[in-house]
Amino acid sequence: MVIQSMTNTDTRDVEATVRQILTLEDAGCQVIRSAVVDEEAAAALEAIVRRIHIPMVADIHFDYRLALKSMESGVQGIRINPGNIGGIRKLRQVVELAQERNIPIRVGVNGGSLEKEILHKHGGPTPEALVESAMGHVSLMEELGYGNLKISIKSSNVPTFLKANRLLAKVCDYPIHLGVTEAGVGQNAVIKSALGIGTLLAEGIGDTIRVSLTGDPLEEVRVARSILDFLELSEKPGPELISCPTCGRTEIDLEHLARSVEKMLEKVDRPIRVAVMGCPVNGPGEAREADLGLAGGKGQGLIFKKGQIVSKVPEEELLSAFARELEEYIRELEQEV
Ligand code: SF4
């Protein structure tokens, strides 16, 4: 399962774009897409591609020359809407160069780009309308003899997104790129993406994913990683934090403890399970599946490993003692390899 994100820098600004892509690579991004708005942006891709380590997909609208120029700049993929690239003759030129260079083409459809006739026939951007439009584009590409395709159907409405992609998976064998488009900001956007993308992945639908959030793409990559981690689909799973919801037995600032431990785990790249529990009586038992954990008590806390208590420390030393235990546990894991 491949995580994709999209730069939000001006692609013509090579330095800023490369800087952002390198940060996204570090966070786990595996394919990057950049908007190509003009000739200068298409030309800039050459310098960008040379300095990054993940495949670049050029995102093109309307102008077939930008697709040609981007491919000449060495991108590893292009995303177009075959219906708006300027007609069959121009589309053929794009396909011929893609064929020559073995470059996959992602055919993207979303509610806002549907053909008038299809919208009219279905009475709006329904799942069936989205699939009909996508399959029309696929047929067009196949008629031109091109089959190195990826398909994406995007919608900002979760039920429409789910239904459209389920229908698509039934009628085509091409790889499917998943993304709930224009998901919004903050928590709601994360929930929308997790529901849309996560549900389909759990059903075995989807080959690449992009979480779209308004703002820093770094957050998109983090959310995408979490979706894959929690579904156990990550190629390189990271740590998992479990924390109890607190209840009348909690006598410690558990939210602070959980957030601090979450911060410590940002630097960990191993699939360990860490629990932060609110009471010393039930905590270690409830978090039996955790590799490592802490349980708060009144003025003190317990640190436990694989369900067994390893130390009891005053509340003010709990986080530093836990950090040491975490480091030691990671060292032990490294020695095992
Ligand atoms: Fe309550 Fe303790 Fe369970 Fe947390 S671990 S929910 S404090 S019983």
Side-chain angles (χ1 to χ4, degrees):
M1 192 57 53
V2 173
I3 297 175
Q4 183 179 129
S5 189
M6 191 165 181
T7 51
N8 64 0
T9 52
D10 183 335
T11 310
R12 292 165 293 200
D13 184 343
V14 173
E15 286 309 314
T17 305
V18 167
R19 208 175 320 121
Q20 186 170 64
I21 296 171
L22 295 180
T23 309
L24 294 172
E25 282 182 18
D26 271 354
C29 181
Q30 294 158 301
V31 172
I32 192 71
R33 183 156 55 104
S34 292
V36 180
V37 292
D38 59 15
E39 285 263 343
E40 195 186 336
L45 288 173
E46 189 174 354
I48 295 169
V49 166
R50 254 190 280 119
R51 289 169 58 189
I52 62 174
H53 314 93
I54 54 177
M56 159 67 78
V57 178
D59 191 89
I60 322 282
H61 279 286
F62 310 119
D63 191 341
Y64 81 109
R65 284 167 306 187
L66 300 181
L68 297 177
K69 180 88 186 153
S70 299
M71 286 190 273
E72 279 156 13
S73 285
V75 298
Q76 289 83 2
I78 56 168
R79 185 265 182 195
I80 57 169
N81 177 340
N84 75 14
I85 208 78
I88 197 80
R89 191 182 52 80
K90 292 170 180 172
L91 182 60
R92 180 167 297 158
Q93 284 189 52
V94 173
V95 164
E96 278 169 6
L97 188 58
Q99 202 135 33
E100 194 185 304
R101 301 196 173 207
N102 198 22
I103 292 175
I105 297 179
R106 169 142 82 82
V107 172
V109 173
N110 65 51
S113 69
L114 286 183
E115 299 86 339
K116 276 199 197 81
E117 321 77 72
I118 291 183
L119 272 176
H120 189 251
K121 176 176 163 194
H122 294 273
T126 61
E128 292 76 12
L130 289 159
V131 173
E132 186 175 329
S133 172
M135 292 314 290
H137 293 162
V138 167
S139 305
L140 192 58
M141 300 298 276
E142 286 175 342
E143 277 162 27
L144 293 173
Y146 201 69
N148 192 358
L149 301 173
K150 286 184 208 164
I151 322 292
S152 72
I153 290 187
K154 297 194 169 186
S155 171
S156 57
N157 175 279
V158 175
T160 301
F161 172 77
L162 291 176
K163 193 166 175 205
N165 278 286
R166 285 177 183 138
L167 286 174
L168 180 70
K170 276 202 193 118
V171 296
C172 93
D173 290 329
Y174 291 113
I176 296 177
H177 172 80
L178 297 178
V180 177
T181 192
E182 294 125 21
V185 286
Q187 185 173 279
N188 278 344
V190 172
I191 294 171
K192 254 187 172 181
S193 290
L195 282 173
I197 296 172
T199 303
L200 291 172
L201 290 180
E203 293 172 12
I205 298 171
D207 301 273
T208 60
I209 65 169
R210 185 208 172 186
V211 171
S212 306
L213 304 176
T214 304
D216 189 343
L218 191 55
E219 204 43 40
E220 295 186 353
V221 175
R222 288 189 182 134
V223 173
R225 280 196 63 161
S226 297
I227 293 172
L228 295 187
D229 277 0
F230 296 149
L231 287 170
E232 298 187 352
L233 291 172
S234 279
E235 284 167 19
K236 230 179 135 229
E240 182 178 0
L241 175 70
I242 303 155
S243 60
C244 86
T246 72
C247 72
R249 293 183 192 86
T250 320
E251 294 188 280
I252 203 161
D253 183 357
L254 195 75
E255 191 177 343
H256 168 68
L257 287 177
R259 289 195 187 280
S260 306
V261 170
E262 187 179 42
K263 196 112 210 93
M264 287 179 205
L265 293 178
E266 276 175 11
K267 296 176 207 96
V268 176
D269 60 358
R270 290 177 174 271
I272 61 170
R273 296 186 102 197
V274 175
V276 179
M277 309 301 279
C279 72
V281 183
N282 296 347
E286 283 185 16
R288 212 168 281 126
E289 303 299 314
D291 297 302
L292 213 59
L294 58 82
K298 195 174 172 118
Q300 62 180 14
L302 302 175
I303 294 178
F304 56 92
K305 197 171 166 180
K306 306 275 185 195
Q308 301 296 317
I309 294 166
V310 292
S311 61
K312 188 189 233 179
V313 282
E315 183 176 346
E316 57 281 6
E317 291 168 28
L318 195 51
L319 282 171
S320 51
F322 180 78
R324 283 196 297 278
E325 202 64 53
L326 179 64
E327 262 176 44
E328 195 185 306
Y329 186 70
I330 291 167
R331 256 200 310 278
E332 284 169 18
L333 288 180
E334 281 166 0
Q335 278 161 9
E336 277 173 19
V337 180

